[in-house]
Amino acid sequence: MTTIKEIAKLAGVSAGTVSRALNNQGRIERRTRERVIALAAELGYQPNSLARSLVTRQGHGIGLLVGGFDGVYYGPLMAAVEAALREAGQMLIVANGESLPELERQASSFLNNQQLRALILHPLHMTDEELLALNLPDRPVVVINRLVPGLEAQCVVIDHELGGALAARHLMTSGHRKIATITGPQSLADARSRHKGFLQALADEGQAVPESRVVEGDYSVESGRRGATELLASGRDFTAVFCGNDDTAIGAMAVFREHGLRIPDDVALIGYDDSRLAEHLVPPLTTVHSPFTDMGEAAALLVRQLTGEIGLKPERFLRPSLVVRESA
């Protein structure tokens, strides 16, 4: 690999002059700068980003913490973050917390110990205090899908309360009054917000949801199956079901079919996220579109704004929307 010293020797200047020319810093004669840049290009010079970060004490690359590498959610989210950062010449280092408290903290510790320019965190289990401690003056933290007190200006969130309300209002407008729900895990902030918005929209219209119509799931297809089975066992006192995500709705749909129930004639069904599978189900799934790719892009832009690369502040509060298909 060609070094700065080799370029300096061929150009007849000091290594410092070469460094300033390549980084467009300092006062250097135009002809000298052009000669250095031409030599660097001819020799195929590639800067050592790690060495540069050690000298400047400024990190290179962006760390991203996610709860998994699979599923309909994390893949598009990671792709959106990576694409937006690649345009800015930044590389992404991803750590997987596997949606488990201990592994999430191990993954965040790994990223914390790297020489990185910024961190983008999608935390499921870490406390607000732990997230605040990771935010450093020379290495900011951006939190996605969660609003952290003290880091509000560095959070990108989706209004999940609105999403839950959109589902409830659509079902009520369609004439449903006995509405059940299979929620996401209530240990997660986004699942609680979806459920809160759903209940509040019903309450605004004088509609209560008895405990027999509420089953807690975990966002999996299997929890959708369990939830639908439990709802049917309680006496089928419902005409519609709002599911915490599309995977849950897929599991519920299968159980209702096994019991001879037609969708939406016997049971209307609404999911959440608008995953790629939603429109291909039979019937196509009515669902709340969760703009998680927009959230990933906004997080990457916020990193660039916090590190001084751009002045424009991205939109940090994103709104979901209802996608009406045939299941409701």
Side-chain angles (χ1 to χ4, degrees), residues 43-98:
L43 296 172
Y45 170 74
Q46 294 291 329
N48 187 322
S49 58
L50 176 60
R52 183 171 59 192
S53 67
L54 290 173
V55 172
T56 63
R57 294 188 178 275
Q58 186 178 60
H60 188 76
I62 309 298
L64 173 64
L65 169 69
V66 293
F69 288 156
D70 56 356
V72 299
Y73 177 80
Y74 288 115
L77 176 68
M78 288 187 288
V81 173
E82 193 276 334
L85 290 175
R86 183 171 7 101
E87 288 183 3
Q90 290 285 355
M91 297 299 291
L92 192 64
I93 297 177
V94 184
N96 181 9
E98 297 187 26

Coordinates of all heavy atoms in Angstrom, one line a residue, residues 43-98:
L43 N -0.8 6.4 -7.9 CA -0.3 5.3 -7.1 C -1.4 4.5 -6.4 O -1.1 3.6 -5.7 CB 0.7 5.9 -6.1 CG 1.9 6.6 -6.7 CD1 2.7 7.3 -5.5 CD2 2.8 5.6 -7.4
G44 N -2.6 5.0 -6.6 CA -3.7 4.2 -5.9 C -3.8 4.4 -4.4 O -4.1 3.4 -3.7
Y45 N -3.4 5.5 -4.0 CA -3.3 5.8 -2.5 C -4.7 5.6 -1.9 O -5.7 6.2 -2.4 CB -2.7 7.1 -2.2 CG -2.9 7.5 -0.7 CD1 -2.1 6.9 0.2 CD2 -3.8 8.5 -0.3 CE1 -2.2 7.3 1.6 CE2 -3.9 8.8 1.0 CZ -3.1 8.2 1.9 OH -3.2 8.6 3.3
Q46 N -4.8 4.9 -0.8 CA -6.1 4.8 0.0 C -5.8 5.2 1.4 O -4.9 4.6 2.1 CB -6.6 3.3 0.0 CG -7.1 2.9 -1.4 CD -8.3 3.6 -1.8 OE1 -9.1 4.0 -1.0 NE2 -8.5 3.8 -3.1
P47 N -6.5 6.2 2.0 CA -6.2 6.6 3.4 C -6.5 5.5 4.4 O -7.5 4.8 4.2 CB -7.1 7.8 3.5 CG -8.2 7.6 2.6 CD -7.6 6.9 1.4
N48 N -5.7 5.4 5.4 CA -6.0 4.5 6.5 C -6.9 5.1 7.5 O -6.5 6.0 8.3 CB -4.7 4.1 7.2 CG -4.8 3.0 8.2 OD1 -5.8 3.0 8.9 ND2 -3.9 2.1 8.3
S49 N -8.2 4.8 7.4 CA -9.2 5.5 8.2 C -9.0 5.3 9.7 O -9.2 6.1 10.5 CB -10.6 5.1 7.8 OG -10.8 3.7 8.0
L50 N -8.5 4.1 10.1 CA -8.3 3.8 11.5 C -7.1 4.6 12.0 O -7.2 5.2 13.1 CB -7.9 2.3 11.7 CG -7.6 1.9 13.2 CD1 -8.8 2.2 14.1 CD2 -7.2 0.4 13.2
A51 N -6.0 4.7 11.3 CA -4.9 5.5 11.7 C -5.3 7.0 11.8 O -4.9 7.7 12.7 CB -3.7 5.3 10.8
R52 N -6.1 7.4 10.8 CA -6.5 8.8 10.8 C -7.3 9.1 12.1 O -7.2 10.2 12.7 CB -7.3 9.1 9.5 CG -7.7 10.6 9.4 CD -8.2 10.9 8.1 NE -9.4 10.1 7.8 CZ -9.9 10.0 6.5 NH1 -9.3 10.6 5.5 NH2 -11.0 9.2 6.3
S53 N -8.2 8.2 12.4 CA -9.1 8.4 13.6 C -8.3 8.4 14.8 O -8.7 9.2 15.8 CB -10.2 7.4 13.6 OG -9.7 6.1 13.9
L54 N -7.3 7.7 14.9 CA -6.4 7.7 16.1 C -5.7 9.0 16.3 O -5.5 9.5 17.4 CB -5.4 6.5 16.1 CG -6.0 5.1 16.2 CD1 -5.0 4.0 16.0 CD2 -6.7 4.9 17.6
V55 N -5.2 9.5 15.2 CA -4.5 10.8 15.2 C -5.4 12.0 15.5 O -5.2 12.8 16.4 CB -3.8 11.0 13.9 CG1 -3.2 12.4 13.8 CG2 -2.7 10.0 13.7
T56 N -6.6 12.0 14.8 CA -7.5 13.1 15.0 C -8.4 12.9 16.2 O -9.1 13.9 16.6 CB -8.4 13.3 13.7 OG1 -9.2 12.1 13.6 CG2 -7.5 13.5 12.5
R57 N -8.5 11.7 16.8 CA -9.4 11.4 17.8 C -10.9 11.5 17.4 O -11.7 11.7 18.2 CB -9.1 12.2 19.1 CG -7.8 12.0 19.7 CD -7.7 12.7 21.0 NE -6.4 12.4 21.7 CZ -6.1 11.3 22.4 NH1 -7.1 10.5 22.6 NH2 -4.9 11.1 22.9
Q58 N -11.1 11.5 16.1 CA -12.4 11.5 15.6 C -12.7 10.1 14.9 O -12.0 9.7 14.1 CB -12.6 12.6 14.5 CG -14.0 12.8 14.1 CD -14.1 13.9 13.1 OE1 -13.5 13.9 12.0 NE2 -14.9 14.9 13.4
G59 N -13.8 9.5 15.4 CA -14.1 8.2 14.9 C -14.5 8.1 13.4 O -14.7 9.2 12.8
H60 N -14.4 6.9 12.9 CA -14.7 6.7 11.5 C -15.7 5.5 11.4 O -15.4 4.5 11.9 CB -13.5 6.5 10.7 CG -13.7 6.4 9.2 ND1 -13.9 7.6 8.4 CD2 -13.8 5.4 8.3 CE1 -14.1 7.2 7.2 NE2 -14.1 5.9 7.1
G61 N -16.8 5.7 10.7 CA -17.8 4.7 10.7 C -18.9 4.9 11.7 O -18.7 5.6 12.7
I62 N -20.0 4.3 11.5 CA -21.2 4.5 12.3 C -21.6 3.1 12.9 O -21.7 2.1 12.1 CB -22.4 5.1 11.6 CG1 -21.9 6.4 10.9 CG2 -23.5 5.4 12.5 CD1 -21.4 7.5 11.8
G63 N -21.9 3.0 14.2 CA -22.3 1.8 14.8 C -23.8 1.7 14.8 O -24.5 2.7 15.1
L64 N -24.4 0.5 14.6 CA -25.9 0.4 14.6 C -26.2 -0.9 15.5 O -25.7 -2.0 15.2 CB -26.4 0.2 13.2 CG -27.9 -0.2 13.1 CD1 -28.8 0.9 13.7 CD2 -28.3 -0.5 11.7
L65 N -27.0 -0.7 16.5 CA -27.5 -1.8 17.3 C -28.9 -2.1 17.0 O -29.8 -1.2 16.9 CB -27.4 -1.4 18.8 CG -28.1 -2.3 19.8 CD1 -27.4 -3.6 19.9 CD2 -28.2 -1.7 21.2
V66 N -29.2 -3.3 16.6 CA -30.6 -3.8 16.3 C -30.9 -5.0 17.2 O -30.0 -5.6 17.8 CB -30.7 -4.1 14.8 CG1 -30.6 -2.9 14.0 CG2 -29.7 -5.2 14.4
G67 N -32.2 -5.4 17.2 CA -32.6 -6.5 17.9 C -32.6 -7.8 17.2 O -33.0 -8.9 17.7
G68 N -32.2 -7.8 15.9 CA -32.1 -9.1 15.2 C -31.7 -8.8 13.7 O -31.8 -7.6 13.3
F69 N -31.4 -9.8 13.0 CA -31.0 -9.7 11.6 C -32.1 -10.2 10.7 O -32.0 -10.1 9.4 CB -29.7 -10.4 11.3 CG -28.5 -9.7 11.9 CD1 -27.3 -10.5 12.1 CD2 -28.4 -8.4 12.1 CE1 -26.2 -9.9 12.7 CE2 -27.3 -7.8 12.7 CZ -26.2 -8.5 12.9
D70 N -33.1 -10.8 11.2 CA -34.1 -11.4 10.4 C -35.4 -10.7 10.5 O -35.5 -9.7 11.2 CB -34.3 -12.9 10.7 CG -34.7 -13.1 12.2 OD1 -34.7 -12.1 13.0 OD2 -34.9 -14.2 12.6
G71 N -36.5 -11.2 9.9 CA -37.8 -10.7 10.0 C -38.1 -9.6 9.0 O -37.2 -9.1 8.3
V72 N -39.3 -9.1 9.0 CA -39.7 -8.1 8.0 C -39.4 -6.7 8.5 O -39.5 -5.7 7.7 CB -41.3 -8.2 7.8 CG1 -41.6 -9.6 7.3 CG2 -42.0 -7.9 9.1
Y73 N -38.9 -6.5 9.7 CA -38.7 -5.2 10.2 C -37.2 -4.7 10.2 O -36.9 -3.7 9.6 CB -39.1 -5.1 11.7 CG -38.9 -3.9 12.4 CD1 -39.8 -2.8 12.3 CD2 -37.8 -3.7 13.3 CE1 -39.6 -1.6 12.9 CE2 -37.6 -2.5 14.0 CZ -38.5 -1.5 13.8 OH -38.3 -0.3 14.5
Y74 N -36.3 -5.6 10.7 CA -34.9 -5.1 10.8 C -34.2 -5.1 9.5 O -33.3 -4.2 9.3 CB -34.2 -6.0 11.8 CG -34.6 -5.8 13.3 CD1 -35.2 -6.8 14.0 CD2 -34.3 -4.6 13.9 CE1 -35.6 -6.6 15.3 CE2 -34.7 -4.4 15.2 CZ -35.4 -5.4 15.9 OH -35.7 -5.2 17.2
G75 N -34.5 -6.0 8.6 CA -33.8 -6.0 7.3 C -34.0 -4.7 6.6 O -33.0 -4.0 6.2
P76 N -35.2 -4.2 6.3 CA -35.4 -2.9 5.6 C -34.9 -1.8 6.4 O -34.3 -0.8 5.8 CB -36.9 -2.9 5.5 CG -37.4 -4.3 5.5 CD -36.5 -5.0 6.4
L77 N -34.9 -1.8 7.7 CA -34.4 -0.7 8.6 C -32.9 -0.6 8.4 O -32.4 0.5 8.2 CB -34.7 -1.0 10.0 CG -34.2 0.0 11.1 CD1 -34.8 1.3 10.9 CD2 -34.3 -0.5 12.5
M78 N -32.2 -1.7 8.5 CA -30.7 -1.7 8.3 C -30.4 -1.2 6.9 O -29.4 -0.5 6.7 CB -30.1 -3.1 8.6 CG -30.2 -3.5 10.1 SD -29.3 -5.0 10.4 CE -30.4 -6.2 9.7
A79 N -31.1 -1.7 5.9 CA -30.8 -1.3 4.5 C -31.0 0.2 4.3 O -30.2 0.8 3.6 CB -31.7 -2.1 3.6
A80 N -32.0 0.8 5.0 CA -32.2 2.2 4.8 C -31.1 3.0 5.5 O -30.7 4.0 4.9 CB -33.6 2.6 5.4
V81 N -30.7 2.6 6.7 CA -29.6 3.3 7.4 C -28.3 3.2 6.5 O -27.6 4.2 6.3 CB -29.4 2.7 8.8 CG1 -28.1 3.3 9.4 CG2 -30.6 2.9 9.7
E82 N -28.0 2.0 6.1 CA -26.8 1.8 5.3 C -26.7 2.6 4.0 O -25.7 3.2 3.7 CB -26.6 0.3 5.0 CG -25.2 -0.1 4.5 CD -25.0 0.1 3.0 OE1 -26.0 0.0 2.3 OE2 -23.9 0.2 2.6
A83 N -27.8 2.6 3.3 CA -27.9 3.3 2.0 C -27.7 4.8 2.3 O -26.9 5.5 1.5 CB -29.2 3.1 1.3
A84 N -28.3 5.4 3.3 CA -28.2 6.8 3.6 C -26.8 7.2 4.0 O -26.3 8.2 3.7 CB -29.2 7.2 4.6
L85 N -26.1 6.3 4.8 CA -24.8 6.6 5.2 C -23.8 6.4 4.1 O -22.8 7.1 4.0 CB -24.4 5.7 6.4 CG -25.2 6.0 7.7 CD1 -24.8 5.0 8.8 CD2 -24.8 7.4 8.2
R86 N -24.0 5.4 3.2 CA -23.1 5.1 2.2 C -23.0 6.3 1.2 O -21.9 6.6 0.7 CB -23.5 3.9 1.4 CG -22.6 3.5 0.3 CD -22.8 2.2 -0.4 NE -24.0 1.5 0.1 CZ -25.2 1.5 -0.7 NH1 -25.2 2.2 -1.8 NH2 -26.2 0.8 -0.2
E87 N -24.1 7.0 1.0 CA -24.1 8.2 0.2 C -23.2 9.3 0.8 O -22.6 10.1 0.0 CB -25.5 8.8 0.1 CG -26.4 8.0 -0.8 CD -27.8 8.6 -0.9 OE1 -28.0 9.7 -0.4 OE2 -28.7 8.0 -1.6
A88 N -23.0 9.3 2.1 CA -22.1 10.2 2.7 C -20.7 9.7 2.9 O -19.9 10.3 3.6 CB -22.7 10.6 4.1
G89 N -20.4 8.5 2.4 CA -19.1 8.0 2.5 C -18.8 7.3 3.8 O -17.6 7.1 4.1
Q90 N -19.8 7.0 4.6 CA -19.6 6.3 5.9 C -20.0 4.9 5.8 O -20.9 4.5 5.1 CB -20.5 7.0 6.9 CG -20.1 8.4 7.3 CD -18.9 8.4 8.2 OE1 -18.4 7.4 8.6 NE2 -18.4 9.6 8.5
M91 N -19.2 4.1 6.5 CA -19.5 2.6 6.6 C -20.2 2.3 7.9 O -20.1 3.0 8.9 CB -18.2 1.8 6.5 CG -17.4 2.0 5.2 SD -18.4 1.5 3.7 CE -18.4 -0.3 4.0
L92 N -21.0 1.2 7.8 CA -21.8 0.8 9.0 C -21.3 -0.4 9.6 O -20.9 -1.4 8.9 CB -23.2 0.6 8.5 CG -24.3 0.5 9.5 CD1 -24.5 1.8 10.3 CD2 -25.7 0.1 8.8
I93 N -21.2 -0.4 11.0 CA -20.9 -1.6 11.7 C -22.1 -2.0 12.6 O -22.6 -1.2 13.3 CB -19.7 -1.4 12.7 CG1 -18.4 -1.1 11.9 CG2 -19.4 -2.6 13.6 CD1 -17.2 -0.7 12.7
V94 N -22.6 -3.2 12.3 CA -23.9 -3.6 12.9 C -23.7 -4.6 14.0 O -22.9 -5.6 13.8 CB -24.9 -4.1 11.9 CG1 -26.2 -4.4 12.5 CG2 -25.1 -3.1 10.8
A95 N -24.3 -4.5 15.2 CA -24.3 -5.4 16.3 C -25.7 -5.9 16.6 O -26.6 -5.1 16.6 CB -23.6 -4.8 17.5
N96 N -25.8 -7.2 16.8 CA -27.1 -7.8 17.0 C -27.4 -8.1 18.5 O -26.6 -8.9 19.1 CB -27.2 -9.1 16.2 CG -28.6 -9.8 16.3 OD1 -29.5 -9.2 16.9 ND2 -28.7 -10.9 15.7
G97 N -28.4 -7.5 19.1 CA -28.7 -7.8 20.5 C -29.6 -9.0 20.7 O -29.9 -9.4 21.8
E98 N -30.1 -9.5 19.5 CA -31.0 -10.7 19.5 C -32.2 -10.6 20.4 O -32.8 -11.5 20.9 CB -30.2 -11.9 19.9 CG -29.1 -12.3 18.9 CD -28.4 -13.6 19.1 OE1 -29.1 -14.5 19.7 OE2 -27.3 -13.7 18.8

